[in-house]
Amino acid sequence: MFLNCHSYHSLRYGVISIEELVHQAADFHIEVLALTDINTITGIYEFHKLCKQHHIKSVVGVEVRDAHQLLYIGLAKNKKGIGEINKLLTAHNCEGKDLPKHHPQFSEVIVIYPLNDFPDKLYGNEYIGVRPEDLNLLIHPKLKTYIPKMVILQPVTVKSQREYHLHKILRAIDNNTLVTKLNESDYCKDSEKMIPPTELRAKYAHHPEIIENTERILAQCNFDFDYSAPKNKKYYTESREKDFELLTKLAYEGLKKRYPDDNENARRRVMKELNVINTLNFSGYFLITWDIVQYSNRMGFMHVGRGSGANSIVSYCLGITDICPLELDLYFERFLNVNRKTPPDFDLDWSWQDRDTILQYIFDKYGKEHVAFCGTNVQFKYRSIFREVGKAFGLPKEELDALATKPIESHDLNSVSRLVYKYGKLLEKFPNQRSMHSCGILISEEPITNFTALEMPPKGFPIVQFDMHVAEDIGFEKFDILSQRGLGTINDTVKLLKEKRGITVDIKDTSIKNEKKCNEYLSIGKTIGCFYIESPAMRGLLRRLKCDNYKVLVAASSIIRPGVAQSGMMREYIFRHNNPDKFEYFHEVFKKELGETYGIMVYQEDVIKIALHFGGLSAPDGDVLRRAMSGKGRSLAALQKVKDHFFESCKALGHPEQLAKEVYRQIESFAGYSFCKAHSASYAVESYQSLYLKAYYPIEFMVCAINNGGGFYRTEVYIHEAKMSGATILNPCVNKGEYKTTVYGKDIYIGLMHIEKLESKIATLIPEERKLNGKYKSLEDFVKRIPIGIETLQILIFIGAFRFTGKPKHELLIESRFLLSGDKPNHQQLTLLEEPQKNYTLPEVERHPYEDAFDEIEILGFPVSFSPFDLLQTKYRGTVMAKDLVKFHKTQVKMLAYLISRKQVPTKRGTMYFGTWIDCEGEYFDTAHFPDNLSQYPFQGGGCYLLLGTVEVDFHFPTVTILKMAKMPFVPDPRYTLDNDKKYEAYQKIKEDVSLTWRAPYPQEQEIGLPRRKM
């Protein structure tokens, strides 16, 4: 009887979850139920499964609305009907086609019009819905004739009066208005509730024909779905046999290239893997991935294949990954095994600049009817909820800010803010809007609209109406097409070296992992600018490990992950790596399975090995652990079952209870926060690629790091690195500079894009115009060719962009006033006969040498002409330099340093910070600031500080624990000698990188309690 039910997937309208809707129907002993969300099919698969569990027949469809106007309800008779609904919505969402007001072109969909708006003539599949409150209107002669085509319409939108108020609040949020200003047409009637079927039938007792019609159309609708069948594109060629034939050919061709010495182990591994791939019918999946990579190679792009896909030697031979699984003993079963029913998961990274080209290729090659991005439901978030709900109640901005930022206990709770809090809490976890999954793409065998309607977000690639979990549930496996800036830096450096110096670098040559200079840089943490290994924490770890080879870097990439580090395993790994003779394996299984990592679980595979070989768990239990660790389907009930099995099995195997508890503690710490070994290895290869370029071509590498938006640090730090590598840093220049930062020999010109107040279009136009019509001859020539306002022109003068003229800044500023007095910027065409430039004789003005540095701070955010140390009032530079800190263990030192970054870490005693600094020689060092100390000596923004602290050397890595610190003043700004307020203003603009984490500090050695003796 219920043909029109809304869930909360009717965004900012529905207030009932799918689960609540089905449970309510079960409570009322309803046998058939229809889900018809507004313009979306998001919830139909969850609805179908839940109805099946409760022995309810599910009918699915959609309520079609144009803006807020209800046009009709569509109920799918079958799977084909859902496809018809999806095509209608997709044409509207993606092509902008109008929704037909009447007679949509459906053959397998029943259409129900509202009583207040239906066509004169109804087709065979079209009906009119009559609400109980409208039954008395049927005495009207015109309506009476339509009774044979009428059905019961009892919409379900709310459960109770509370949800009705919540519905109204959502409508106010959606309409960006106050609840009190809503019109009746903006929200549903308070009668839109589920009621017992007998009660509903009784209301239509005088119209048995309407009841019969309703029962008949519900009987016609049957939605069934096969969740087990894969929905991905089946074949790359035209058949399974030809796919396998092609895959085999490519794999053996790749085998010859990857292993020219005819490696017998590799050959056997390829045969074994091909057999499994064929058995599971995944050849097409491999070939589609290979095809995407081939296109990337033809375009000259760089990619990284990572994740568990790197466990496969076939993917290595196909060029999908660059990790040799034999070298690292990566086992294929972690990626693919005969028990696995879903396709494997390849994670492919491209440069952020190239990713859209790759995406366009996928859509063009496999057809827009078959390709779409995964969707994702963006939920109402804690802060936004109270702000949005408060706005609907008409609260002023100050109260909204307080509600959104302060804990509820500190609010002044008047009657309105109590209501805001009450309804805000109800909205938590509600979907608010649909968005695009960051990287997941679906390529389907059937047209994708057979399963979902598509939407077109601003980014320009269509998305499905459900998320990755539903996609996986119904038989889709996504292709992860990711992007990152690290690859952009590597790719651009290789191109820049070719362009500027004629040097060809084969960056894919895996022998760079053995480069002596790269390994030296690794061991001293000289890795700023290098992908994944440049953060202070990672540089500290590399130094503690004296990491000087690929395998240790692979381990380091994984042990720094939160799960491993938080459990104390990172700390223990560092100890054992440095003291291999000071521990025993506390059980033989750990020695046998984890000898390479000193008996410590480092990778997801290690956890599975220990669960199976030490804990005696079964392979399915191991897979539950694997999925929990990779964040896929973290079922707490399933995990608890595995935990119980683990302890029962340990007891049966005779393991001491204390040992079993410790081992499981380590296993648990991994959940969701560890890498598989192949993933770490992929990251390590990319780290080596960037490190190789940094070691041998540091200036070009840093230029490209800057142009790719840097990484962990701000631009200034990468400019400092380039300077330390021997580059001369020059301010932006209209004749030599580009939009991005560029290099001529050892001269680096900062890009025009880094001038904070320069419009992007002007910054792009300046070099474009120069390329078309030659260098700018003078300021006057520049003004004639570039449409620029006086304020923007003055910024360029202040930064020194016209120094080629040889004129001092004050003269150029006066000239700019003459040239642009009262003129609005316009594009002045070059004239055939140029008038000679007017020359002005101006008085000489003496400039203080530091004025340029203060101009730079104001315009770029950091000084270029001088270092921050040059601008200090004090000439004192500290008693110890960073390079000597290791010699001063447990000694108090005084240092003068420039703040690079600080990281905030919460502790039980309050907030603590870890700082990264450079000394006056340009070398980096790190500090620790504890809560008690920070209350007396807090950070005061970017700049130079005098530091007093005690050096703690921890396995070759010194940290200064700060006792006192004070920010040191710059000299007064010479541009404002007569203005006391502005003399020190520029110093406040010096930046710092601030990051925060919610993790507790990593445990110290004495807190870990990991046994180092046999138990």
Side-chain angles (χ1 to χ4, degrees):
M1 297 293 116
F2 296 94
L3 306 177
N4 183 208
C5 300
H6 303 113
S7 77
Y8 61 18
H9 291 298
S10 295
L11 300 179
R12 299 185 181 189
Y13 191 96
V15 290
I16 310 173
S17 71
I18 302 276
E19 203 172 347
E20 287 173 324
L21 185 68
V22 175
H23 279 156
Q24 195 181 10
D27 291 343
F28 281 135
H29 305 292
I30 289 167
E31 293 175 359
V32 188
L33 190 67
L35 178 70
T36 54
D37 275 315
I38 298 168
N39 291 2
T40 184
I41 57 84
T42 304
I44 65 170
Y45 298 104
E46 183 191 355
F47 175 73
H48 176 251
K49 279 193 157 185
L50 283 169
C51 282
K52 215 166 191 175
Q53 284 173 25
H54 289 85
H55 308 291
I56 296 169
K57 178 183 171 181
S58 59
V59 173
V60 297
V62 74
E63 180 178 302
V64 179
R65 290 194 179 211
D66 190 3
H68 296 315
Q69 186 194 355
L70 168 62
L71 301 182
Y72 36 81
I73 295 148
L75 298 177
K77 290 184 183 179
N78 47 40
K79 195 179 163 221
K80 188 183 171 192
I82 274 292
E84 290 178 351
I85 288 170
N86 291 337
K87 284 182 181 71
L88 178 88
L89 294 175
T90 301
H92 175 64
N93 295 336
C94 299
E95 296 161 34
K97 288 187 180 174
D98 290 339
L99 291 164
K101 193 176 178 189
H102 298 139
H103 310 309
Q105 290 186 336
F106 292 149
S107 64
E108 300 298 323
V109 178
I110 287 161
V111 176
I112 301 162
Y113 294 103
L115 188 64
N116 63 348
D117 188 6
F118 61 89
D120 291 338
K121 187 186 176 192
L122 293 170
Y123 291 178
N125 66 327
E126 296 183 333
Y127 296 84
I128 302 162
V130 184
R131 291 170 178 252
E133 59 267 32
D134 293 336
L135 284 167
N136 56 348
L137 299 175
L138 300 190
I139 57 166
H140 194 286
K142 188 193 170 192
L143 290 177
K144 235 176 183 175
T145 60
Y146 285 100
I147 288 176
K149 292 289 278 181
M150 287 182 180
V151 294
I152 296 171
L153 186 60
Q154 171 62 38
V156 177
T157 304
V158 299
K159 276 171 67 183
S160 64
Q161 200 59 27
R162 184 179 70 164
E163 270 97 6
Y164 185 56
H165 291 314
L166 186 61
H167 163 75
K168 279 188 166 181
I169 291 164
L170 281 172
R171 300 309 300 130
I173 291 170
D174 194 44
N175 286 293
N176 195 22
T177 188
L178 301 179
V179 174
T180 51
K181 289 198 172 178
L182 288 170
N183 300 315
E184 272 193 28
S185 59
D186 292 328
Y187 52 88
C188 75
K189 293 184 166 68
D190 61 359
S191 59
E192 294 194 9
K193 294 173 190 161
M194 199 175 280
I195 57 175
T198 48
E199 194 181 311
L200 184 59
R201 281 169 184 275
K203 292 186 179 192
Y204 290 84
H206 298 298
H207 298 281
E209 203 173 350
I210 293 179
I211 296 173
E212 283 166 25
N213 286 343
T214 310
E215 288 174 340
R216 189 172 64 254
I217 65 170
L218 283 173
Q220 286 174 29
C221 296
N222 290 289
F223 177 66
D224 211 359
F225 194 82
D226 180 6
Y227 292 89
S228 61
K231 309 299 184 299
N232 280 40
K233 183 170 171 58
K234 285 182 187 174
Y235 313 123
Y236 176 72
T237 60
E238 63 267 23
S239 70
R240 176 177 178 168
E241 293 71 31
K242 290 202 169 170
D243 271 6
F244 184 61
E245 194 182 305
L246 177 59
L247 183 67
T248 304
K249 175 177 171 283
L250 293 169
Y252 282 110
E253 282 172 5
L255 181 70
K256 283 180 190 168
K257 288 178 191 162
R258 293 291 199 184
Y259 303 96
D261 302 335
D262 199 22
N263 185 315
E264 188 53 39
N265 285 342
R267 182 172 289 279
R268 275 202 302 270
R269 173 83 173 246
V270 168
M271 283 171 66
K272 174 186 144 186
E273 286 193 16
L274 284 171
N275 188 36
V276 174
I277 292 165
N278 189 35
T279 303
L280 295 172
N281 193 17
F282 290 153
S283 300
Y285 194 88
F286 273 79
L287 288 170
I288 290 168
T289 309
W290 166 81
D291 173 61
I292 295 165
V293 167
Q294 287 304 299
Y295 172 74
S296 170
N297 293 341
R298 289 197 297 275
M299 294 296 290
F301 297 160
M302 263 195 79
H303 84 283
V304 168
R306 57 182 176 83
S308 61
N311 287 55
S312 160
I313 199 168
V314 169
S315 59
Y316 179 54
C317 291
L318 263 56
I320 295 168
T321 65
D322 284 312
I323 307 299
C324 168
L326 300 182
E327 181 185 8
L328 290 171
D329 190 26
L330 304 176
Y331 62 108
F332 180 60
E333 289 72 17
R334 166 64 182 83
F335 174 55
L336 210 54
N337 58 68
V338 286
N339 298 315
R340 183 170 181 164
K341 297 291 177 274
T342 56
D345 208 1
F346 283 115
D347 292 345
L348 299 171
D349 280 358
W350 274 271
S351 158
W352 61 287
Q353 299 157 319
D354 300 332
R355 179 175 179 252
D356 279 0
T357 310
I358 296 293
L359 292 175
Q360 194 60 57
Y361 171 75
I362 295 168
F363 276 86
D364 292 345
K365 166 99 186 195
Y366 297 100
K368 62 177 185 176
E369 294 83 13
H370 297 268
V371 186
F373 262 91
C374 264
T376 178
N377 279 324
V378 180
Q379 295 176 336
F380 279 101
K381 298 288 191 301
Y382 177 83
R383 290 187 177 186
S384 68
I385 289 176
F386 295 123
R387 203 180 285 283
E388 295 269 22
V389 176
K391 218 190 312 178
F393 278 105
L395 291 181
K397 186 180 182 300
E398 301 73 44
E399 282 193 56
L400 292 177
D401 291 342
L403 278 166
T405 55
K406 293 178 186 170
I408 194 68
E409 301 77 38
S410 63
H411 294 165
D412 174 22
L413 286 180
N414 54 40
S415 57
V416 177
S417 55
R418 279 180 202 282
L419 283 174
V420 170
Y421 186 68
K422 174 186 170 183
Y423 287 107
K425 287 296 285 178
L426 291 176
L427 275 183
E428 272 190 291
K429 302 278 171 72
F430 261 51
N432 180 19
Q433 57 192 51
R434 258 182 302 283
S435 183
M436 186 175 175
H437 187 278
S438 58
C439 58
I441 282 188
L442 308 179
I443 305 177
S444 70
E445 177 67 21
E446 298 176 37
I448 213 152
T449 47
N450 286 2
F451 307 99
T452 173
L454 302 177
E455 294 180 7
M456 187 67 82
K459 282 210 172 177
F461 290 109
I463 63 168
V464 299
Q465 288 189 325
F466 44 68
D467 64 20
M468 57 178 274
H469 301 294
V470 174
E472 191 175 317
D473 211 25
I474 67 175
F476 279 108
E477 274 297 316
K478 63 186 182 359
F479 291 78
D480 283 334
I481 307 295
L482 303 110
S483 69
Q484 42 145 298
R485 293 181 183 274
L487 272 176
T489 301
I490 294 168
N491 212 14
D492 287 357
T493 308
V494 171
K495 287 177 185 170
L496 189 66
L497 286 166
K498 182 78 178 163
E499 179 199 333
K500 297 279 185 180
R501 295 172 60 182
I503 295 171
T504 302
V505 177
D506 180 7
I507 203 64
K508 289 196 169 186
D509 180 0
T510 51
S511 67
I512 63 172
K513 301 197 299 269
N514 306 316
E515 279 286 340
K516 190 181 173 194
K517 198 171 180 181
C518 293
N519 288 327
E520 278 171 18
Y521 274 35
L522 263 183
S523 66
I524 57 171
K526 194 172 179 178
T527 55
I528 284 182
C530 298
F531 173 77
Y532 201 73
I533 53 173
E534 66 165 338
S535 71
M538 194 66 187
R539 288 187 302 108
L541 175 60
L542 294 172
R543 287 178 69 178
R544 286 181 176 96
L545 294 172
K546 276 200 171 174
C547 175
D548 63 356
N549 65 75
Y550 173 58
K551 287 192 176 180
V552 175
L553 180 58
V554 173
S557 299
S558 194
I559 62 173
I560 201 163
R561 297 280 291 165
V564 194
Q566 205 63 61
S567 66
M569 317 268 265
M570 176 172 85
R571 183 85 215 163
E572 186 62 17
Y573 182 92
I574 294 166
F575 173 85
R576 294 184 180 194
H577 180 76
N578 283 284
N579 302 287
D581 55 341
K582 289 187 180 173
F583 75 93
E584 293 173 1
Y585 292 94
F586 53 77
H587 195 276
E588 278 306 308
V589 168
F590 283 76
K591 186 175 184 178
K592 183 182 174 211
E593 301 294 338
L594 309 180
E596 190 186 297
T597 54
Y598 316 107
I600 288 166
M601 288 181 270
V602 167
Y603 312 109
Q604 287 177 5
E605 290 93 329
D606 296 345
V607 181
I608 296 164
K609 280 180 190 174
I610 294 304
L612 268 56
H613 300 296
F614 173 84
L617 291 183
S618 63
D621 278 351
D623 202 55
V624 170
L625 280 177
R626 176 190 72 79
R627 293 179 72 78
M629 285 183 297
S630 54
K632 293 181 181 177
R634 287 185 213 169
S635 160
L636 293 176
L639 267 176
Q640 186 58 48
K641 214 170 167 187
V642 169
K643 186 175 182 177
D644 296 342
H645 285 175
F646 179 84
F647 284 110
E648 285 162 16
S649 182
C650 282
K651 195 174 181 181
L653 289 166
H655 297 319
E657 188 184 354
Q658 205 53 41
L659 176 61
K661 279 182 180 173
E662 171 55 30
V663 171
Y664 198 80
R665 179 188 76 81
Q666 293 175 23
I667 286 173
E668 238 173 359
S669 73
F670 271 72
Y673 290 111
S674 60
F675 280 162
C676 69
K677 192 175 184 181
H679 199 82
S680 283
S682 303
Y683 271 1
V685 166
E686 191 179 340
S687 298
Y688 261 103
Q689 288 172 326
S690 52
L691 192 58
Y692 176 82
L693 295 170
K694 180 184 169 79
Y696 290 99
Y697 310 103
I699 294 173
E700 288 82 3
F701 178 73
M702 280 305 153
V703 165
C704 294
I706 292 162
N707 287 337
N708 278 277
F712 188 87
Y713 306 95
R714 61 189 182 277
T715 301
E716 179 186 3
V717 179
Y718 300 105
I719 283 174
H720 168 74
E721 278 289 291
K723 203 172 182 178
M724 293 291 285
S725 303
T728 303
I729 310 299
L730 298 160
N731 279 325
C733 171
V734 297
N735 265 347
K736 282 225 163 183
E738 301 287 343
Y739 176 73
K740 292 181 174 181
T741 297
T742 191
V743 62
Y744 302 92
K746 291 192 174 184
D747 292 345
I748 291 177
Y749 283 84
I750 295 172
L752 293 162
M753 64 184 277
H754 294 291
I755 298 174
E756 287 176 10
K757 290 180 182 171
L758 184 65
E759 279 182 71
S760 181
K761 65 177 182 182
I762 295 287
T764 308
L765 180 62
I766 291 169
E768 280 177 358
E769 164 60 26
R770 187 182 73 223
K771 283 183 185 102
L772 285 172
N773 296 306
K775 287 188 174 182
Y776 302 102
K777 302 181 191 76
S778 62
L779 185 67
E780 186 176 356
D781 180 42
F782 179 84
V783 167
K784 281 181 180 175
R785 292 160 64 182
I786 300 293
I788 197 166
I790 185 70
E791 285 182 13
T792 308
L793 184 61
Q794 286 181 346
I795 287 169
L796 288 170
I797 292 168
F798 278 124
I799 203 59
F802 295 100
R803 56 191 180 277
F804 71 90
T805 63
K807 294 180 181 180
K809 286 183 185 178
H810 78 279
E811 202 171 303
L812 290 166
L813 288 167
I814 293 167
E815 194 179 328
S816 71
R817 287 283 173 188
F818 280 124
L819 291 167
L820 289 179
S821 56
D823 281 358
K824 288 187 175 175
N826 59 2
H827 207 304
Q828 300 178 35
Q829 297 297 321
L830 291 171
T831 52
L832 187 63
L833 295 167
E834 285 292 308
E835 290 180 35
Q837 190 184 326
K838 300 180 185 76
N839 286 316
Y840 308 94
T841 306
L842 296 167
E844 279 191 33
V845 176
E846 207 172 304
R847 266 177 77 81
H848 191 287
Y850 286 167
E851 282 189 43
D852 286 342
F854 281 96
D855 282 341
E856 289 151 7
I857 291 168
E858 204 166 288
I859 294 167
L860 298 172
F862 52 88
V864 176
S865 315
F866 293 89
S867 90
F869 296 96
D870 297 328
L871 304 178
L872 289 172
Q873 290 182 19
T874 180
K875 298 296 173 206
Y876 181 73
R877 294 294 179 262
T879 56
V880 174
M881 292 295 128
K883 65 176 186 286
D884 299 318
L885 279 174
V886 284
K887 301 172 191 168
F888 289 86
H889 183 48
K890 298 290 182 191
T891 306
Q892 210 171 90
V893 295
K894 200 186 276 188
M895 304 181 76
L896 190 95
Y898 183 60
L899 181 59
I900 295 298
S901 67
R902 56 187 165 110
K903 184 169 193 170
Q904 178 185 329
V905 180
T907 73
K908 288 173 186 169
R909 286 163 46 203
T911 296
M912 76 174 290
Y913 277 99
F914 293 101
T916 300
W917 311 74
I918 55 169
D919 65 12
C920 63
E921 294 179 346
E923 298 295 334
Y924 299 86
F925 69 96
D926 293 79
T927 56
H929 306 251
F930 287 93
D932 323 356
N933 175 269
L934 283 164
S935 61
Q936 275 185 286
Y937 304 104
F939 283 94
Q940 294 175 288
C944 292
Y945 288 72
L946 185 62
L947 307 170
L948 178 72
T950 306
V951 181
E952 304 283 341
V953 181
D954 177 46
F955 296 113
H956 335 292
F957 179 66
T959 305
V960 182
T961 301
I962 296 301
L963 305 170
K964 291 181 182 179
M965 72 174 180
K967 190 172 175 180
M968 305 305 285
F970 271 9
V971 295
D973 188 338
R975 302 171 306 166
Y976 300 109
T977 47
L978 302 176
D979 189 334
N980 287 328
D981 291 338
K982 290 207 160 191
K983 272 184 188 178
Y984 300 100
E985 208 175 70
Y987 192 28
Q988 305 312 315
K989 294 190 177 180
I990 293 283
K991 295 175 184 172
E992 54 177 330
D993 293 316
V994 184
S995 57
L996 68 157
T997 180
W998 298 110
R999 67 162 175 81
Y1002 296 141
Q1004 294 304 300
E1005 197 173 314
Q1006 67 276 8
E1007 298 172 294
I1008 297 166
L1010 195 71
R1012 287 183 186 154
R1013 291 283 168 260
K1014 202 164 187 174
M1015 290 177 79

